[in-house]
Amino acid sequence: MFAPSLVSHQSKLTNLLNEPLNMLCSITINVNSNIGRDDESLNDFVEKIAKALDNGSSQKNDQFEIYIEKFKDLKNIQDEFVFQDVQLKSQTIELVACTSQPEGCNSRVHLRVTSELTEGYLKKFEKTCKEAAKRQLKKDKPASIFVHFTNGFILKDSVNQKEFKKSISKIFEKNHLTNLVFVTNINIEEQKEFPYFTMQPVFLIAENRNSRFNSNFLDHVPNKRFIDLT
């Protein structure tokens, strides 16, 4: 993504970095359009964002939206887990995020890049699952479809989107499907105490309430969580 390129423009973020003590400045960049993969397109996009950030205020255009939130007088500004006292609101999917390191009571900056699920992505996901259910699974037996995500954060944000849940409901029109299982190989979760994080696969399961089969073959799956489709 373009986060590393944006960091190189740090001089343009001076007005955001020069904040009072004990403050967290959160910058959310929500991308609304496709970004070219070539260096020229990427650099051009980053330049536009850097210029927008230089104004120090939230902005919106056809390509991206920038939201700036400032949280003052944080008692835990020196804590790595500063977000325990901060509620960041977002209906989009977080693609990448980074936070400046604590330096005493100095203010810190949190930068994240988000995006939304596109209609094309949802149609492809729905079509692939339906074709798998039709071609690979027998209608007279219970079946599950496993969907692999390489990024645990994107997985969790995706399954919370209303449009994604609608796609799952359409897939469940194939009533021999008992569930969809979303898997990510490495899922890292932070903890307050030692060892400060856990790292293990995570299984998010969407159950088909309209399936004519009862299936318990996932009972042995560790670290599983169920998705609320309502």
Side-chain angles (χ1 to χ4, degrees), residues 159-202:
V159 298
N160 288 324
Q161 302 294 310
K162 290 182 179 180
E163 295 303 319
F164 197 81
K165 292 180 179 181
K166 288 181 181 178
S167 291
I168 293 176
S169 297
K170 291 179 181 178
I171 294 168
F172 280 162
E173 291 172 359
K174 306 292 185 181
N175 62 15
H176 62 296
L177 283 178
T178 59
N179 46 55
L180 281 174
V181 183
F182 299 91
V183 186
T184 179
N185 287 352
I186 298 178
N187 177 62
I188 299 176
E189 296 185 356
E190 297 177 340
Q191 297 178 333
K192 294 181 181 180
E193 300 177 352
F194 184 84
Y196 303 116
F197 71 93
T198 60
M199 185 170 62
Q200 58 185 326
V202 64

